[in-house]
Amino acid sequence: MTHYQKLIEAAAYLKQFVQENTKTSVILGSGLGNFVKEIEIVNEIPYEQIPHFPVSTVKGHHGKLIFGNVAGKPILAMAGRFHLYEGYGKEEVVFPIRIMKMLGIETILMSNAAGGVNLSFKVGDLMIIKDHISLATKNPLIGANDDRLGTRFPDMSEPYKKSLIQKAKEIAREHNITLKEGVYFGVTGPTFETRAEYKMIHVLGGDAVGMSTVPETIAAVHAGMNVFAMSVITDIGIREEENVITHEEVLEAAQNAEPIFSTVFRELIRTL
Ligand code: R1P
């Protein structure tokens, strides 16, 4: 069965759960699953139930699609995403993104836990992703292009929609929230970065580094969808002192920042 046929089958199964006029989806990163408290849930579908859908294997990723309402707007939320380091191929990592397109989603709000590379960042900071560097991760569009999914050579001059970034900044001002802004450097993981790698990422222009989001954004842009993405800075790997990073610390830092993150996402959804 081709990738496209699998997408069609999964989308056909999910169509029954999609509320009318659902145009926005949310992807919840590591430790950010508590955003589901903001959702007035109508349906929850575990990934195992969805034909051809991968399953979440990472702690802090719940593994279900949630259909519901946030701020009175119908949304689709992915509580748990897929990463290349889990052993998934590029088509599996972006499978949900393409399903979203088939279900009528126009705008995806993505989140992730990321390591701080910008020396002015602190643990718990929220960073609007204004751009990304994809060179150290796998481009999901490598291989024969299926024109039904998008064009062979997608433009990437504005992967993260400027108008959405503008709205997020206005929301932050209104709620007295400080948001950083920067470039997300995508890697495959699962190893956290070495000191030398942190330095290299810094020199190359990365402000934060993480193991997700970039392949998803590329697939979303390929499909003609709008993307807004925000990182929670969960550790500062670039600092010189003794600095061991664990996934448990990443989850804890993300959970601590989650209420502020949730405010931004909820209020952004309200405007869409
Ligand atoms: C490492 O702690 C994990 O947290 C981040 C990294 O990418 C990695 O998967 O997860 P998300 O990007 O899914 O938030």
Side-chain angles (χ1 to χ4, degrees):
M1 186 180 274
T2 66
H3 177 57
Y4 194 76
Q5 283 167 334
K6 287 181 187 171
L7 287 167
I8 295 278
E9 280 194 13
Y13 171 77
L14 289 169
K15 268 203 174 105
Q16 60 184 311
F17 304 110
V18 184
Q19 301 186 88
E20 216 177 305
N21 224 13
T22 304
K23 304 272 181 235
T24 307
S25 69
V26 177
I27 301 179
L28 301 175
S30 288
L32 295 166
N34 277 343
F35 179 78
V36 296
K37 284 189 296 198
E38 300 282 339
I39 309 175
E40 181 203 316
I41 298 173
V42 178
N43 266 307
E44 282 183 299
I45 314 297
Y47 293 163
E48 298 84 33
Q49 259 180 47
I50 308 168
H52 314 298
F53 218 78
V55 293
S56 292
T57 68
V58 186
K59 200 172 159 202
H61 289 259
H62 294 320
K64 55 190 178 188
L65 274 190
I66 300 170
F67 299 86
N69 300 295
V70 171
K73 298 278 167 71
I75 62 131
L76 158 56
M78 233 187 119
R81 61 148 59 91
F82 313 113
H83 309 80
L84 290 163
Y85 66 74
E86 293 174 77
Y88 287 126
K90 54 195 171 44
E91 288 186 338
E92 288 163 308
V93 168
V94 302
F95 194 81
I97 306 295
R98 291 176 169 160
I99 295 286
M100 287 173 188
K101 173 73 180 181
M102 289 178 166
L103 295 178
I105 298 298
E106 294 172 358
T107 301
I108 309 183
L109 311 185
M110 299 187 196
S111 61
N112 61 58
V117 180
N118 185 314
L119 291 162
S120 75
F121 287 1
K122 296 185 304 299
V123 169
D125 278 351
L126 296 178
M127 181 191 90
I128 294 174
I129 301 180
K130 66 174 180 193
D131 207 345
H132 72 223
I133 297 175
S134 69
L135 305 176
T137 187
K138 217 181 207 166
N139 193 309
L141 306 185
I142 290 174
N145 187 62
D146 188 331
D147 292 338
R148 292 168 293 189
L149 299 174
T151 181
R152 170 77 286 186
F153 298 109
D155 170 68
M156 291 296 283
S157 59
E158 193 184 334
Y160 304 92
K161 198 82 185 150
K162 283 188 184 137
S163 55
L164 295 172
I165 292 176
Q166 207 43 47
K167 278 184 187 174
K169 286 181 177 172
E170 281 161 26
I171 289 163
R173 261 195 302 276
E174 283 162 20
H175 289 79
N176 272 323
I177 291 170
T178 304
L179 293 182
K180 310 278 184 180
E181 201 176 342
V183 174
Y184 179 92
F185 193 100
V187 294
T188 59
T191 40
F192 288 117
E193 294 65 40
T194 64
R195 286 172 195 273
E197 286 163 350
Y198 269 112
K199 280 185 190 150
M200 178 199 76
I201 292 166
H202 182 62
V203 168
L204 291 180
D207 294 294
V209 56
M211 308 168 196
S212 67
T213 305
V214 170
E216 296 163 346
T217 297
I218 291 173
V221 172
H222 185 233
M225 290 187 278
N226 300 323
V227 178
F228 172 81
M230 201 159 71
S231 295
V232 177
I233 304 300
T234 50
D235 54 85
I236 309 289
I238 189 88
R239 67 188 182 198
E240 285 298 335
E241 66 258 37
E242 208 42 56
N243 186 30
V244 176
I245 303 166
T246 66
H247 185 54
E248 282 60 40
E249 281 166 7
V250 167
L251 291 179
E252 194 187 330
Q255 276 153 15
N256 291 341
E258 183 273 325
I260 304 175
F261 152 82
S262 289
T263 301
V264 178
F265 267 38
R266 182 190 63 234
E267 296 307 316
L268 199 50
I269 291 168
R270 198 186 297 283
T271 70
L272 296 174

